[in-house]
Amino acid sequence: MRRLAPVLREDGVELDLISLIRTILAACKDISFRVGQADLAGVLGSTLDENIQGETQKKLDVLSNQLLKDMLLESGFVRAIASEEEDFVVEGEHGGRFLVAFDPLDGSSNIDVNSLTGTIFSILPVPEEKMAGEPITEQDFLQPGVNQVAAGYVMYGPSTILALTTGKGVRFFTLDKTHGSFLLTQESIQIPEETQEFAINSSNQHKWEIPMQRYIRDILDGKGGIRGKNFNMRWIACMVGDVHRILCRGGIFTYPAHTDEPTKPNKLRLLYEANPMGLLVEQAGGLISTGSENILEMQPTELHQRVPVILGSKQEVKICLDYHDYKF
Ligand code: F6P
């Protein structure tokens, strides 16, 4: 079957990809509105269900997932989706060149306390051999992060902000709620290479492996310790919020492995959390790693695979990786 070559915009980005991103944003505007309505719309609180990862689903998790899923699969640009809230891949009936993996509402524990949440998305190409129409399977989503053609998040905070990359740097767009459009507000986002700010849930300190214990201990020693400087700590309990701060002013964020749960040591998901955040961070001049390998180069093995994550300002991530004996 002869296929038409993709139509490109002046900057080389495929027009179908732009239309697909617009579809994600249409769903995110709706999510932003509902997050803002909160109790007024009766959307706070939990459902009686759990997702495949054994986490209780919040009403807004389910709603956000439904909005994204329906709009993407109806769009004609997306062959199939994978979501934190779906056990399996869902294929649509309208074809399309792309696969989308997403976390519809990251930071669920913040929903009911009016704190930051966000939608994270990763866009992958449909593998060449499936372009003719053979059914999409989980295997087709198991592509390394370097294959992503676009990635981003929409953060629902005091303002609703999109951070987007199509592989040519990172840009921020702010939702103008009076007109309903995302307007470009910052271009060429660059993460400062050095930092004095770190983000980790330190209540888990007793569960970390030795390299992370040592790295954080040296940071906490401040000016008088071997790092020779004082650090500040922030933890938003929403990866979108922590990564956004790092894109704005630098920092290091880590969610390391927990040694007390050998069968489930990691929290963050590779396909719809670590990979899209990794592409944004790398495109903004930062680094992302598991502690032993570059996350974007990993070959995924499962749809809902979890990984340890260390990301942020280049020099600080390198220092953290030195503690892990990681060789560049
Ligand atoms: O997706 C998981 C997530 O909500 C991240 O957004 C966030 O960084 C992390 O979990 C918070 O975990 P904890 O509640 O253990 O601090």
Side-chain angles (χ1 to χ4, degrees), residues 103 106-107 201 204 235 237-239 253 255 267-269 273:
D103 179 350
D106 174 56
N201 182 343
N204 297 318
W235 185 251
C238 167
M239 191 187 193
F253 164 94
Y255 209 112
K267 173 135 196 202
L268 301 180
R269 273 55 59 108
E273 291 181 317

Side-chain angles (χ1 to χ4, degrees), residues 55 84 103 105-110 120 200-201 203-204 235-242 253-255 258 267-269 273 306:
E55 298 159 344
E84 184 189 355
D103 179 350
L105 204 59
D106 174 56
S108 301
S109 69
N110 284 349
I120 311 174
I200 192 166
N201 182 343
S203 68
N204 297 318
W235 185 251
I236 297 180
C238 167
M239 191 187 193
V240 169
D242 281 313
F253 164 94
T254 174
Y255 209 112
H258 289 174
K267 173 135 196 202
L268 301 180
R269 273 55 59 108
E273 291 181 317
R306 295 169 187 256

Side-chain angles (χ1 to χ4, degrees), residues 11 13 121 145-153 163-172 186-193 243 246-248 274-288 294 296 311-314:
D11 57 7
V13 181
F121 57 91
V146 287
N147 282 15
Q148 294 172 103
V149 291
Y153 60 76
L164 178 67
T165 183
T166 52
K168 299 179 176 72
V170 178
R171 293 186 286 175
F172 289 162
Q186 278 187 63
E187 284 190 274
S188 311
I189 303 298
Q190 276 297 312
I191 302 174
E193 291 205 357
V243 170
I246 289 172
L247 288 173
C248 290
N275 271 344
M277 291 311 202
L279 193 64
L280 286 167
V281 165
E282 278 209 0
Q283 284 290 316
L287 281 184
I288 181 159
N294 180 333
L296 293 174
L311 66 79
S313 293
K314 196 181 243 168

